[in-house]
Amino acid sequence: MSIAKVTLDESKTKVVTFSIVWSSSPDVVKYRPFFSTPEFIEFPTSNPGQKAYAYFYPPVNPMFQGLPNEKPPLLVKTHGGPTAETRGVLDLSVQYWTSRGWAFLDVNYGGSTGYGREYRERLLEKWGIVDVDDCCSCARFLVENGKVDEQRLCITGRSAGGYTTLASLAFRDTFKAGASLYGIGDLSLLRAETHKFESHYMDNLVGNEKAYYERSPINFVNKFTCPVILFQGLDDKVVPPDQARKIYKALKEKGLPVALVEYEGEQHGFRKAENIKFTLEQQMVFFARLVGKFEVADDITPIKIENFD
């Protein structure tokens, strides 16, 4: 938490000066050279003439420089909700990636809040389509603009964002690997088990019974074509562990590199610091070994990857 002093120009639209008056974490300031500043980007969607938005964080580390002819790998994050919003704020879990050579993309796909009613309603009866298309379109947009390496595109998400991640991996071929944190694999089961106050929320986002089936990645595990790592709390009542286990078993039998991490005592959303840290580090080493083709700088012991180790 910080208290900042901001001076605006006469039009009150641009920042002239910015300074931190007080901070609960003063040591963070000395790491400022390592922080990647988000670039707000507007990109074309799969619908002609339509735009969507995202925050792009280029890799930054004053102690290292990438090779002149090498573009960075990209990790795309799909926010939860799904009708939530990501913002361009300081998030050390994002800076973890950018300080280690990765570009990071936080997508506000169609359906996100913060851009008006029309934008939010793009997801009505289109969850699993619009969000997936927008994440793929934004990644391709960065490739076409020479900012990232097309052969090293990865995707991650938690809960509803984990659903978008799994759907992107099952129904598209844009990404080379993915990580799902307690991601939704079965939309029908989620509807049956969801919170009472959200009982009709999903019907508006998905539509009819056919859509529930056809957009559930768990029903189309045969369509996955790239490595996947899954993280799951064993006490999760929203997304039961069996969903992650079914996907893990199917990908293992198919011969794809796959790993499953299960946490005792964790529910829908990890709470223990050691588990949050372990999840972040294992994503890094998983992507580095299978897609990035480099050794991580940190001392991380990788877990076993089926069909790879």
Side-chain angles (χ1 to χ4, degrees):
M1 181 181 294
S2 300
I3 297 175
K5 180 180 179 181
V6 181
T7 303
L8 302 177
D9 63 3
E10 292 184 358
S11 65
K12 309 297 183 184
T13 59
K14 294 184 178 180
V15 175
V16 176
T17 63
F18 176 91
S19 61
I20 299 296
V21 178
W22 175 86
S23 174
S24 60
S25 303
D27 288 345
V28 170
V29 178
K30 67 183 181 182
Y31 297 109
R32 180 66 185 84
F34 292 86
F35 293 161
S36 176
T37 302
E39 301 173 13
F40 181 75
I41 62 173
E42 179 182 278
F43 63 92
T45 71
S46 56
N47 289 331
Q50 190 181 76
K51 302 289 185 180
Y53 311 98
Y55 291 97
F56 174 67
Y57 298 78
V60 172
N61 190 317
M63 300 175 65
F64 297 93
Q65 181 71 41
L67 297 175
N69 60 344
E70 182 182 16
K71 295 181 176 63
L74 172 70
L75 181 61
V76 175
K77 176 191 171 187
T78 57
H79 69 67
T83 53
E85 175 191 8
T86 190
R87 297 181 179 179
V89 298
L90 178 60
D91 183 340
L92 296 184
S93 66
V94 173
Q95 303 299 327
Y96 174 79
W97 294 92
T98 57
S99 63
R100 288 159 174 78
W102 285 76
F104 193 96
L105 180 67
D106 216 345
V107 185
N108 272 322
Y109 49 76
S112 304
T113 58
Y115 301 93
R117 179 185 292 254
E118 183 277 330
Y119 195 85
R120 179 168 50 80
E121 291 183 346
R122 288 183 190 179
L123 208 59
L124 293 181
E125 298 190 356
K126 294 292 180 64
W127 189 24
I129 298 176
V130 168
D131 49 324
V132 170
D133 284 345
D134 285 357
C135 289
C136 293
S137 294
C138 196
R140 287 195 296 269
F141 176 77
L142 293 177
V143 169
E144 291 166 1
N145 281 273
K147 291 183 176 289
V148 299
D149 185 349
E150 183 178 17
Q151 299 305 314
R152 295 189 289 176
L153 304 178
C154 300
I155 186 168
T156 185
R158 61 190 68 186
S159 188
Y163 165 71
T164 300
T165 290
L166 292 172
S168 296
L169 298 174
F171 305 127
R172 305 290 188 276
D173 59 3
T174 300
F175 300 102
K176 307 303 180 182
S180 170
L181 285 65
Y182 43 95
I184 300 157
D186 189 333
L187 292 175
S188 295
L189 184 59
L190 177 67
R191 178 176 57 174
E193 300 290 337
T194 194
H195 317 287
K196 185 177 180 181
F197 72 93
E198 291 184 339
S199 58
H200 297 291
Y201 173 55
M202 285 190 59
D203 291 334
N204 290 330
L205 295 175
V206 181
N208 57 33
E209 292 296 332
K210 181 180 179 183
Y212 270 95
Y213 180 85
E214 292 182 345
R215 295 188 213 154
S216 293
I218 204 166
N219 298 325
F220 298 93
V221 288
N222 61 305
K223 291 190 174 183
F224 283 81
T225 59
C226 66
V228 180
I229 185 168
L230 305 142
F231 299 89
Q232 180 67 46
L234 293 180
D235 292 345
D236 194 333
K237 304 300 183 185
V238 179
V239 180
D242 282 348
Q243 293 195 35
R245 289 170 180 166
K246 182 177 178 180
I247 293 173
Y248 168 76
K249 181 180 179 181
L251 298 187
K252 180 180 176 181
E253 291 175 352
K254 189 176 181 181
L256 289 174
V258 62
L260 171 62
V261 178
E262 296 182 326
Y263 295 121
E264 292 278 357
E266 290 285 19
Q267 301 181 32
H268 194 65
F270 305 147
R271 301 292 186 269
K272 298 177 182 178
E274 61 268 27
N275 292 341
I276 294 172
K277 179 175 182 288
F278 189 81
T279 299
L280 190 60
E281 290 180 338
Q282 290 304 320
Q283 287 183 82
M284 170 66 77
V285 74
F286 183 85
F287 291 145
R289 296 179 69 198
L290 290 162
V291 178
K293 307 302 181 186
F294 62 84
E295 293 185 8
V296 296
D298 308 271
D299 184 16
I300 303 173
T301 301
I303 61 172
K304 180 181 178 181
I305 303 173
E306 297 293 343
N307 300 318
F308 184 77
D309 292 319

